Amino acid sequence: LYTTRSRTSRRARGLGMAIVHSAVKNARGFVRISSEVNVGTTVRVFLPAAEEPLTPGDAPIAVTAGQRGNGRG
């Protein structure tokens, strides 16, 4: 779980990177993360170009409940 909040925060704790990784992987893409102390973290998501233009009726890729990442790229 990636978060920008302190460990003592009682509010929502950030972005579930396992879900991001799963959705991007299902779309045949990849994620690159870099972090530097006192500078910040950059999350880059790379997705392949669409083979054909999308139309308003095209359904997005669904991530089903229960999918989990394993912490490995």
Side-chain angles (χ1 to χ4, degrees), residues 11-45:
R11 297 177 70 190
R13 302 240 16 210
L15 178 65
M17 292 307 291
I19 294 171
V20 171
H21 178 262
S22 179
V24 171
K25 186 175 178 180
N26 285 341
R28 296 184 320 269
F30 59 97
V31 177
R32 291 291 179 255
I33 301 173
S34 60
S35 186
E36 191 173 336
V37 176
N38 297 322
V39 174
T41 300
T42 301
V43 178
R44 292 187 171 119
V45 176

Side-chain angles (χ1 to χ4, degrees), residues 50-65:
E51 294 175 10
E52 297 178 17
L54 298 177
T55 62
D58 290 336
I61 296 173
V63 177
T64 60

